[in-house]
Amino acid sequence: MRKTLIAASALPLLLTLAVVPTAAAAPALSGKTVEYNVLAASENGAEAAAQAVRAAGGTVVKRNDEVGLLTVSAPENGFTQRMSQSRAVFSAARSRSVGKAPNGKVTPDRNKVEKEGIGKADKNKAAKPVGNDPLDDGQWGLKSVRSDLARTKQPGDKRVKVGIIDTGVDGSHPDIKPNFDKALSRNFTRDIPFDELGQEVDGPCEYRGCVDPSDVDNGGHGTHVAGIIAAAANGFGLSGVAPGVTIVNVRAGQDSGFFFLQPTVDALTYAGDAGLDVVNMSFYVDPWLYNCDNNPADTPEQQAQQRTIKTAMIRALNYAHRKGVTLMSAYGNEHTDSGKPQPDATSPDYPANTAHTRTVDNSTCLSMPSEGPHVINVSSFGPSQAKADYSTYGLENISVSAPGGYFRDGFGTPWFRSLDNEILSTYPLNVAQTEGLVDAAGNVTPDGVAAGVKVLNKDGVPAVYRPLQGTSMASPHATGVAALIVSQYGKYSGNKVSMDPDKVERVLEGTAAKIPCPTPRTVDYLKEGRDASYTATCEGTLDFNGFYGHGAVDAWAAVTRGAEFLK
C-alpha cells in the first residue's frame, strides 16, 4: 500500500505563496542576484509564469514546459513578494540556498552508509562463479536475483533503454562502453564551483564551460549503479543483471552528490521524451529528506521551497509514467519505517550547518522521488537475506526487495564486517584516483586495498571496481530485472520497444520470491554495533510485508513466468 498523494491541482491550501491578486504596490527589488525556482500554477503554464517573472524583474535561466518549472535569477529581496501577486504562479522559492553561509566545502552526508567498509579488508571469497565474467564469482547479488539463469533465456535486448538518473556514467569504462549510448545521454547539471553564499560545492570545473560531457562521472555513484544494472557480459571484469540492455546517462546529480530540483525534473521529462523504458533513481531531491507542507520547525521560506519540490516532482513523475517510463527508486538508508518516520535531523543538508531536528508529519511530508506517484521502491538485504540494518522499510511505500549489501551481515561468522558482503561494481578511474584509491599509474593504493578496490586492464585501459552498500545498490538490481521484463514481454516496433509501466510492475512484484518476516518480528542490531534507533519491526504477511514488500526480485522467474501476470 502506498501513501495517497494529493494531486497538485487539489492543493490550493498548500500554496507556497498566495496567488490571489492584490492591489498593493509591488515591493522594491534590492540585494544581490540569486537563483529561484518558480513553479507555474499549472503544468502547461510555463509561458504565463515566464511572463510574470519578467514583469516582476526576474530573468528566466531554465524552463521545463512539461512541468511548468522555471529557474530564475532575480534580486534576493522583493522578488517572491512580487511573484505572490500573480495567478500564473503556484510558488516561488530559492532554488538551493536558504540559510547563511558557513565556512568550507559543503557536501551531502550520504557516504557513511555506502562506504562503511573503508579500512576493513575483505576476508572471504565467494565459492562458485555465478556468471560468465571473471569477477562474477564475487557477485552474490547476481546469484540472489538469479541473473545467471535468466540470461540463458533473456540477457536483455539492446533496444531496451535504461536511464541512470545519477551523478553521471563513465562511458569509457570497459564494462560500460559496450552498452553505453552516448548520443542519447544528457547532462542536465552545471558544475557549481562556489555558490552564491561563497560555499565550495563541486570544486574547480574539470571542463571548459563547467558542463561535464555526457559520458563522464566525477562522483562515482552513477557508474556503480550502471554496472549493477547492465555491465556487459564480455568475458572481462563483471556483468550486470541485464547485460544486454542499453545504458543511457541522464545526469541530474552534481559532482558533490547533490540532486537539485531543476536538473532532476529535466532528467525525468527527458526520459519520457527520449523513449527510455526504465529509469533508476538512487537519490533524494536536496536539500530536504522530507518535503513538508508547513512544518512549524521551518521558516516560511523553507516551507515554500519544500512545497515547490513536492509539487514539481509529482508533476514530473506523472509525466514520465504517462510516457511509458518504469520508475525505480531506492527506498532509503534512513533505517526508519516510511509510514512512521523518525524525526529528521539531517535537513536541510544544504547550505551546510542549517539542518535542524523536525518532527515529520507523515500525512503532509513526502521524500522525493521515493514517495512520489508510480514509483517502485526497493528495500535492501544482505547475503543472508537479512534486512540490511540501514534500509528503510514499512508497508506504506515498499514494493520489492533486492541485494544492496550489508557489511555487518553474518554476526558470529567469518563473514561479519566483510567487504564481500557488499556489492562490487564498476567505478570511474578518475574518481578512484581523486579519492586516493588508485595511483596515477593505475595501481591500487593501500587505501584502495583496504576499501576492496580491484583494477583490471583491458587493452591498456585500467578498469576499476569497488564494493559499496545501500538501497542505492538494491534499486539497480531491481531495475535490471525490470529491463529484462521489458526485453521479454515488451512490444517491438523496429528499433523501439515499449511496455506499460504498470504491467512491468505487476510482473516484477508477481514473480518476486516471497520472504517471511523474521522470528521474532522485531529485530535489533545492537550486537552488530548499532544503537536502538535501528531496531525495526516487520509488519505484514508472507505475501506482502514491510521488510521485503512482495519479495526479493527474481530475474529467472520474471522472464519465464511473467506472462502469468499479464493475462
Side-chain angles (χ1 to χ4, degrees):
M1 180 181 296
R2 292 185 183 153
K3 185 181 295 185
T4 300
L5 297 170
I6 303 173
S9 60
L11 289 173
L13 300 180
L14 305 181
L15 296 186
T16 298
L17 303 163
V19 294
V20 287
T22 175
L29 300 177
S30 64
K32 65 179 183 291
T33 299
V34 297
E35 194 173 273
Y36 297 88
N37 284 136
V38 175
L39 188 62
S42 64
E43 294 181 13
N44 58 1
E47 178 55 35
Q51 292 177 10
V53 165
R54 290 189 286 270
T59 301
V60 177
V61 178
K62 294 180 182 178
R63 171 171 158 175
N64 187 301
D65 287 350
E66 288 72 32
V67 169
L69 179 66
L70 314 176
T71 295
V72 171
S73 63
E76 63 180 336
N77 300 316
F79 179 72
T80 56
Q81 290 86 346
R82 290 189 177 194
M83 286 286 90
S84 71
Q85 299 174 8
S86 172
R87 288 186 178 274
V89 174
F90 173 84
S91 60
R94 293 282 285 276
S95 62
R96 296 188 298 266
S97 305
V98 181
K100 297 181 179 179
N103 295 320
K105 184 174 182 178
V106 55
T107 55
D109 187 16
R110 296 178 185 164
N111 290 332
K112 289 183 179 179
V113 168
E114 293 181 357
K115 300 178 181 178
E116 184 187 3
I118 287 180
K120 305 292 184 181
D122 52 341
K123 296 179 275 189
N124 311 288
K125 301 296 177 186
K128 297 180 180 179
V130 296
N132 58 1
D133 282 358
L135 293 178
D136 282 350
D137 63 347
Q139 294 293 80
W140 64 268
L142 280 185
K143 187 166 187 177
S144 175
V145 303
R146 302 209 287 178
S147 169
D148 55 326
L149 292 176
R151 70 185 57 183
T152 64
K153 178 178 177 64
Q154 177 56 265
D157 192 285
K158 284 286 185 190
R159 290 168 288 184
V160 174
K161 297 177 173 60
V162 180
I164 315 297
I165 303 182
D166 215 293
T167 60
V169 176
D170 177 10
S172 68
H173 192 290
D175 260 331
I176 299 293
K177 187 175 181 178
N179 291 340
F180 186 71
D181 188 334
K182 183 177 180 179
L184 204 56
S185 294
R186 297 290 185 273
N187 174 15
F188 291 100
T189 70
R190 179 183 295 274
D191 285 353
I192 308 171
F194 291 88
D195 68 6
E196 61 206 40
L197 297 177
Q199 298 177 107
E200 183 181 358
V201 180
D202 294 325
C205 297
E206 296 87 358
Y207 294 88
R208 290 166 61 86
C210 290
V211 177
D212 295 344
S214 61
D215 59 349
V216 167
D217 177 9
N218 285 314
H221 192 271
T223 300
H224 197 274
V225 164
I228 296 170
I229 297 169
N234 55 358
F236 175 83
L238 52 76
S239 59
V241 174
V245 303
T246 295
I247 297 167
V248 181
N249 175 26
V250 193
R251 180 175 166 179
Q254 302 295 139
D255 289 350
S256 53
F258 287 110
F259 288 77
F260 295 120
L261 180 61
Q262 184 80 52
T264 304
V265 165
D266 289 347
L268 280 166
T269 56
Y270 174 77
D273 293 338
L276 303 191
D277 300 289
V278 188
V279 296
N280 187 87
M281 302 177 290
S282 291
F283 63 89
Y284 67 82
V285 180
D286 293 291
W288 301 92
L289 174 58
Y290 296 98
N291 297 280
C292 303
D293 294 333
N294 290 290
N295 195 300
D298 302 329
T299 67
E301 190 175 18
Q302 290 173 332
Q303 293 171 357
Q305 187 181 57
Q306 292 169 74
R307 290 193 293 264
T308 303
I309 292 170
K310 185 175 172 179
T311 305
M313 282 298 295
I314 290 172
R315 292 181 185 178
L317 291 165
N318 280 330
Y319 181 86
H321 181 265
R322 288 197 303 268
K323 288 282 191 171
V325 182
T326 297
L327 303 164
M328 307 296 300
S329 177
Y331 205 14
N333 298 337
E334 285 69 48
H335 58 273
T336 190
D337 185 328
S338 71
K340 307 165 189 174
Q342 299 178 23
D344 173 20
T346 65
S347 301
D349 62 4
Y350 183 94
N353 302 325
T354 58
H356 50 273
T357 300
R358 310 183 299 160
T359 299
V360 179
D361 176 14
N362 189 52
S363 65
T364 60
C365 299
L366 294 177
S367 186
M368 287 296 185
S370 68
E371 294 187 331
H374 311 297
V375 174
I376 300 171
N377 282 302
V378 187
S379 68
S380 176
F381 58 75
S384 73
Q385 229 167 48
K387 183 190 82 68
D389 52 1
Y390 56 79
S391 181
T392 294
Y393 59 97
L395 294 169
E396 186 171 85
N397 294 294
I398 194 169
S399 300
V400 290
S401 54
Y406 179 15
F407 180 64
R408 304 184 188 210
D409 201 1
F411 179 80
T413 76
W415 293 99
F416 180 59
R417 298 183 70 86
S418 166
L419 289 170
D420 284 339
N421 289 341
E422 298 188 353
I423 303 299
L424 186 70
S425 187
T426 47
Y427 207 66
L429 173 63
N430 61 304
V431 177
Q433 290 175 329
T434 299
E435 294 177 343
L437 306 176
V438 176
D439 64 23
N443 301 308
V444 181
T445 65
D447 284 348
V449 172
V453 170
K454 303 179 189 300
V455 173
L456 302 178
N457 280 275
K458 186 176 180 63
D459 301 326
V461 178
V464 181
Y465 305 87
R466 179 180 188 175
L468 295 173
Q469 67 172 3
T471 54
S472 284
M473 285 71 240
S475 179
H477 278 91
T479 297
V481 177
L484 293 178
I485 291 169
V486 178
S487 297
Q488 183 67 21
Y489 306 108
K491 294 180 180 179
Y492 286 87
S493 177
N495 290 324
K496 296 182 179 180
V497 60
S498 63
M499 187 171 178
D500 183 339
D502 294 335
K503 292 182 178 179
V504 177
E505 182 175 11
R506 288 209 306 270
V507 175
L508 186 72
E509 294 177 348
T511 58
K514 306 301 182 185
I515 305 177
C517 284
T519 302
R521 285 175 174 257
T522 296
V523 179
D524 69 53
Y525 299 91
L526 300 177
K527 62 184 182 297
E528 288 85 0
R530 298 301 197 185
D531 61 37
S533 70
Y534 285 79
T535 298
T537 299
C538 183
E539 299 176 323
T541 66
L542 174 63
D543 288 333
F544 182 75
N545 61 65
F547 277 17
Y548 304 103
H550 292 275
V553 294
D554 187 329
W556 174 245
V559 300
T560 58
R561 294 180 41 237
E564 299 172 20
F565 302 91
L566 297 174
K567 296 176 181 178

